[in-house]
Amino acid sequence: MEIKIDPRIIKSISKFNLPTKLGFGKTLAPVMISCSYKEEKWGTLNLVPYEPLTLSPTAKVFHYGQEIFEGMKAYRVNGQGPYLFRPEENQKRFNLSAERMAMPTLPEELFIKSVKLLTEYCAPFIPDKSGDSLYLRPFMFATEEHLGIAPSNEFKFMVVASPSTAYFSSDALKVLIERKYVRAVDGGTGQAKTGGNYAGGLNSAIRAKNLGFSQTLWLDSKKREFVEEMSGMNIFVVMKGKLVTPSLENTILDGVTRRCLIRLAEDMGVCFEERALGIKELIEAIQTGECSEAFACGTAVIVTPIEGFGEDDGTFYKIRSKGESIGSRLREKLLALQEGREKDVYGWRHKVSLSYGEKASEGGVEI
Ligand code: COI
């Protein structure tokens, strides 16, 4: 694998100042990764300044949406790290998404090297408050100029980084039960992390916002009877003291955070079930008080509590919480592992060495 470090990055990095107010995904790191695919081969991995792209108006991504992405984070809290967390899981899911969207897969080494290299060079800009991080966004899109409906023969893989806080500020989420539109269908692209899945949910996001909600709850496409997920995050509820999350089928994104929480809950002795979760069952459990908690999880949102669920007509089912929250225990445990505050018995945390960064400050390198 050939790696090229653009000498202009030294200037970009030295000019960059981390703002005091960050938010999520608003501040972009001054460098990024770019790698092209042509003639069935991946080319050089380039670390370049963050800058606009030049693309043909007929690049297939603009017309047929051949695009995939991942979300992952690097942590550097209290001078620890930088750490990446289970990057190989993102790499595997990236390739599953690529296969579903008729795109070339990326060699594991290329994906991992890219996120490590970018983390190294961005290490000085990783915010150090617990819950904050460097959000990494690997993505790939079709660049071939051609209006025919056929898979592109040319692609670009990129990674950008954003020093960020968690996706939501501290408030618990009010969630709109979406009874009309659906996010994914059996046999569709719901399990792939592709832009179209998110674009298709945006009209519902607007409706939810106008009705005073912060998120949409997606139900199954066949009968609108079962809870699936929320836009960009998975969902857990606590019913009769048991932690429950919808089983994946092929319409729900297999979240890395979701998988971590299942493992952590099991190891913490929390009674857990992965199964079909009826929306009627959930509403009844909230009304009888048997549902004592619900929370959303995802790389960007970490673990965020849900206040309740509502309908278009203004009906709101507010969850009556009882005592200690399982979600906050899981959130604390997960963050302690991610941020290096706790011994990692799972082998999930990967330390990123800073050798390239040191060499770069001497005037640029080619590795
Ligand atoms: C993530 O958690 O990384 C996501 O993909 C959510 C994102 C769409 C904001």
Side-chain angles (χ1 to χ4, degrees):
M1 178 181 25
E2 194 196 3
I3 301 176
K4 268 200 183 148
I5 314 284
D6 185 325
R8 292 177 304 151
I9 65 160
I10 305 299
K11 198 163 163 208
S12 314
I13 290 174
S14 65
K15 278 197 329 214
F16 181 80
N17 287 315
L18 193 64
T20 43
K21 270 193 125 182
L22 287 174
F24 174 83
K26 288 187 185 147
T27 300
L28 271 306
V31 287
M32 63 184 185
I33 296 284
S34 175
C35 183
S36 298
Y37 180 89
K38 263 188 195 156
E39 290 164 7
E40 301 185 7
K41 280 197 307 284
W42 285 104
T44 304
L45 192 170
N46 295 290
L47 182 73
V48 294
Y50 179 88
E51 59 193 358
L53 304 172
T54 303
L55 285 173
S56 159
T58 56
K60 284 189 185 234
V61 64
F62 296 131
H63 305 273
Y64 307 122
Q66 233 187 339
E67 185 272 352
I68 58 168
F69 69 96
E70 270 302 315
M72 53 202 292
K73 286 177 171 174
Y75 305 85
R76 202 178 193 187
V77 174
N78 296 333
Q80 304 279 318
Y83 296 119
L84 286 168
F85 191 72
R86 307 190 77 179
E88 66 290 347
E89 297 299 317
N90 295 94
Q91 183 268 330
K92 281 188 212 138
R93 190 172 61 186
F94 194 72
N95 280 349
L96 286 178
S97 300
E99 276 167 18
R100 180 64 186 85
M101 301 304 290
M103 298 166 86
T105 55
L106 208 73
E108 179 177 356
E109 198 197 355
L110 181 53
F111 184 96
I112 299 289
K113 189 79 188 173
S114 298
V115 290
K116 275 193 172 166
L117 195 62
L118 192 57
T119 301
E120 265 182 62
Y121 279 87
C122 293
F125 325 125
I126 306 182
D128 63 359
K129 199 168 130 253
S130 179
D132 294 357
S133 59
L134 181 75
Y135 183 80
L136 298 164
R137 173 56 65 89
F139 60 111
M140 192 209 304
F141 52 93
T143 53
E144 186 186 338
E145 303 174 29
H146 182 208
L147 290 176
I149 303 185
S152 179
N153 287 314
E154 292 171 10
F155 295 88
K156 202 172 267 294
F157 167 68
M158 303 190 70
V159 191
V160 293
S162 170
S164 290
T165 58
Y167 195 75
F168 294 114
S169 49
S170 53
D171 294 348
L173 307 174
K174 287 187 169 166
V175 180
L176 173 70
I177 303 168
E178 177 57 83
R179 305 264 183 192
K180 184 177 175 197
Y181 297 115
V182 293
R183 174 189 172 276
V185 298
D186 185 23
T189 58
Q191 263 192 332
K193 211 159 169 63
T194 180
N197 289 342
Y198 297 80
L202 293 178
N203 62 356
S204 181
I206 294 170
R207 223 159 54 80
K209 192 163 176 236
N210 290 342
L211 290 165
F213 295 95
S214 42
Q215 272 292 310
T216 297
L217 179 70
W218 298 112
L219 304 179
D220 73 282
S221 64
K222 286 190 193 129
K223 296 192 173 162
R224 316 280 194 279
E225 276 178 9
F226 295 100
V227 171
E228 296 215 320
E229 65 174 287
M230 295 169 18
S231 309
M233 55 206 89
N234 296 112
I235 181 169
F236 283 79
V237 299
V238 179
M239 299 207 296
K240 298 188 196 162
K242 206 179 252 184
L243 184 65
V244 181
T245 195
S247 38
L248 291 176
E249 311 306 334
N250 64 24
T251 49
I252 300 178
L253 195 83
D254 182 1
V256 178
T257 308
R258 176 186 180 278
R259 257 188 280 147
C260 291
L261 297 189
I262 291 173
R263 179 67 199 274
L264 294 177
E266 282 169 350
D267 291 357
M268 282 158 66
V270 174
C271 203
F272 167 73
E273 250 177 25
E274 186 178 9
R275 62 168 172 85
L277 172 65
I279 185 64
K280 211 161 154 240
E281 174 194 1
L282 176 61
I283 291 171
E284 279 169 12
I286 294 173
Q287 287 170 329
T288 59
E290 280 173 353
C291 173
S292 53
E293 188 178 345
F295 56 87
C297 76
T299 301
V301 301
I302 316 175
V303 173
T304 302
I306 294 172
E307 183 182 330
F309 301 89
E311 312 275 6
D312 289 35
D313 65 4
T315 313
F316 189 66
Y317 314 107
K318 187 171 164 61
I319 299 169
R320 281 171 279 160
S321 54
K322 290 185 200 141
E324 205 201 15
S325 143
I326 294 177
S328 47
R329 276 171 62 205
L330 286 171
R331 179 188 159 97
E332 180 43 38
K333 180 87 186 164
L334 179 69
L335 277 177
L337 286 166
Q338 291 172 327
E339 295 172 353
R341 290 184 279 113
E342 193 167 298
K343 186 170 178 316
D344 176 17
V345 294
Y346 302 99
W348 288 345
R349 196 164 62 217
H350 295 250
K351 179 134 191 202
V352 175
S353 94
L354 292 180
S355 56
Y356 301 127
E358 282 151 22
K359 278 190 217 155
S361 57
E362 288 160 16
V365 283
E366 200 164 305
I367 307 162

